[in-house]
């Protein structure tokens, strides 16, 4: 239920101001609008808003740059930043400057109204020190809707010590997320220690994590500090936590519960001053059901889950990532290369079973091995080891939709050769079918979302969310 507060909306787009104003008024708020930084300052003096919504790019200034000044003058006024610059840096800067929330454009109106209600309930803006690092390489790249959710979650957890569980297929960048949380948080000056649970022999895991005293076992000639002790004051990243043996899981659970650990063969307890970030490509609930992972440890680790999308679900991010990796290759001495538009289109067609890691390796290989300065689709085909795809066979006469889908799935399985597709095929296939269904429905009704929702038999808000999540179309149309 809305609290009915005074809300100021600042955006240079008149259509967006109108849509947002009417949505907030229907929710019971008093709303004033501004179209520039100077209008915003004047409205704050006269209207005295309880919540401010501001765009980043304004005709006479930058909305993010205004946030610290406005909070100094109005410390109890939550600020919600709206931006079409949907990058990790924008989300981080919004949080670091002290914004209460960050909503990427296009946004869902219901989500925006809820954010305003949450801001009114809080009654005070987040107080986060501005430590933005201008000119630094972006730790995460991509503007797709799935990555926006990742940015928003990361931005909200960097300033605290909550345990984070990063989920995603192999190669999606789970360690990059862990490092970003550490590097932008209050523990940034202390160690970041990463340990891959799948790479340690089972009999050595406890010693690796907690250390051991001299004489604790055969070959222990001296005391050795474990990863918990090495990470004191900083962050301990437990990668591939799903591969941790049950006995080590029990020991880790005790440490998380008590906040203390003892080296193997030692009696003294050491206080564990570390932030825990865990990651896995496995489905932990399935491991719990199979008796391979402790349910109580899962709930200890899954305080804030961050699910990284596979590269095939990130739409236009593939081109940005590919260019970034070519720039990085050139920075370490490899020849500088460029991608022609056809090459980017070919990259976007690939299923990327190895995700971002596979794309990075491909770009390095192309930079090192190809002679041409411009990378073409043919060069990509050659390096992927895939012949140009044959035109699809004509559908049998009278073939139904299920026959066509089965043909598509058969080709999909065949593209992996003797290997199998990554886990999670069911959800991926449904998403791939849902995207063209939404496109064709919107085309049939000439973009009218109300008609499209009726035709599909779903709620209009549900349709808007699906359009955003799948990157099919905007959730706020300027014609409204």
């Amino acid at each position: 239920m809305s609290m009915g507060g005074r809300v100021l909306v600042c955006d240079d787009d008149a259509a967006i101001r109108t849509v947002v104003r009417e949505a907030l008024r229907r929710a019971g708020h008093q709303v004033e609008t501004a179209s520039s930084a100077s209008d915003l300052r004047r409205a704050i003096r006269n209207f005295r808003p309880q919540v401010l919504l501001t765009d980043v790019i304004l005709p006479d200034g930058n909305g993010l740059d205004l946030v610290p000044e406005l909070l100094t003058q109005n410390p109890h006024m939550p600020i919600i930043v709206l931006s079409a610059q949907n990058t990790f840096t924008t989300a981080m800067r919004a949080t670091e400057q002290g914004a209460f929330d960050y909503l990427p454009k296009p946004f869902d109106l219901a989500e925006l109204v809820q954010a305003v209600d949450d801001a009114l309930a809080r009654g005070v803006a987040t107080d986060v020190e501005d430590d933005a690092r201008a000119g630094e390489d972006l730790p995460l790249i991509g503007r797709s809707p799935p990555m926006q959710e990742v940015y928003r979650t990361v931005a909200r957890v960097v300033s605290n010590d909550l345990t984070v569980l990063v989920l995603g297929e192999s190669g999606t960048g789970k360690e990059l997320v862990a490092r970003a949380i550490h590097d932008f948080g209050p523990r940034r000056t202390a160690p970041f220690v990463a340990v891959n649970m799948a790479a340690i022999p089972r009999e050595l895991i406890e010693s690796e994590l907690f250390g051991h005293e001299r004489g604790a076992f055969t070959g222990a000639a001296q005391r050795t500090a474990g990863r918990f002790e090495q990470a004191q004051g900083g962050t301990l990243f437990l990668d591939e936590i799903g591969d941790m043996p049950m006995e080590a899981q029990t020991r880790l659970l005790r440490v998380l519960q008590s906040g203390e650990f003892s080296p193997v063969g030692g009696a003294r307890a050491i206080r564990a001053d570390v932030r825990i970030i865990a990651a896995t490509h496995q489905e932990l609930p399935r491991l719990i059901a199979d008796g391979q992972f402790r349910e109580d440890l899962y709930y200890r680790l899954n305080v804030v889950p961050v699910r990284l999308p596979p590269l095939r679900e990130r739409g236009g991010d593939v081109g940005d990532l590919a260019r970034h990796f070519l720039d990085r290759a050139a920075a370490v001495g490899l020849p500088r290369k460029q991608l022609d538009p056809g090459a980017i289109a070919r990259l976007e067609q690939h299923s990327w079973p190895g995700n971002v890691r596979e794309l990075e390796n491909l770009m390095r290989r192309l930079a090192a091995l190809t002679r041409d300065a411009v990378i073409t689709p043919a060069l990509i085909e050659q390096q992927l080891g895939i012949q140009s795809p044959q035109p699809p066979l004509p559908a049998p006469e009278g073939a139904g939709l299920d026959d066509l889908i089965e043909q598509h799935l058969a080709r999909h399985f065949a593209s992996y050769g003797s290997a199998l597709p990554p886990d999670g095929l069911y959800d991926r296939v449904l998403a791939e079918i849902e995207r063209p269904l939404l496109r064709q429905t919107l085309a049939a009704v000439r973009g009218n979302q109300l008609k499209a929702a009726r035709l599909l038999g779903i709620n209009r808000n549900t349709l808007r969310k699906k359009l955003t999540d799948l990157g099919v179309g905007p959730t706020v149309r300027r014609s409204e």
Side-chain angles (χ1 to χ4, degrees), residues 352-368:
W352 300 111
N355 290 296
V356 178
R357 186 184 297 125
E358 181 187 358
L359 176 61
E360 181 176 14
N361 291 340
L362 174 64
M363 291 301 105
R364 284 179 173 272
R365 196 157 66 246
L366 285 164

Side-chain angles (χ1 to χ4, degrees), residues 105 209 293:
K105 293 181 178 180
L209 289 179
F293 200 84

Side-chain angles (χ1 to χ4, degrees), residues 198-275:
I200 306 172
R202 298 172 66 91
E203 64 274 11
L204 297 180
I205 281 185
E206 290 197 37
S207 174
E208 183 78 16
L209 289 179
F210 309 115
H212 61 260
E213 299 290 352
R214 180 181 178 182
F217 50 83
T218 303
Q222 61 185 12
R223 183 185 185 278
T224 300
R227 299 306 181 96
F228 265 89
E229 196 168 346
Q230 295 169 16
Q232 286 287 67
T235 301
L236 179 61
F237 176 52
L238 302 175
D239 198 7
E240 300 301 349
I241 192 72
D243 292 290
M244 193 177 203
M246 286 294 285
E247 56 272 20
Q249 293 178 32
T250 302
R251 185 86 187 273
L252 174 61
L253 178 64
R254 284 202 299 268
V255 174
L256 296 180
Q257 289 173 335
S258 66
E260 295 180 339
F261 66 93
S262 298
V264 176
R268 65 189 182 94
I270 301 174
R271 188 71 185 168
D273 178 21
V274 297
R275 179 180 195 163

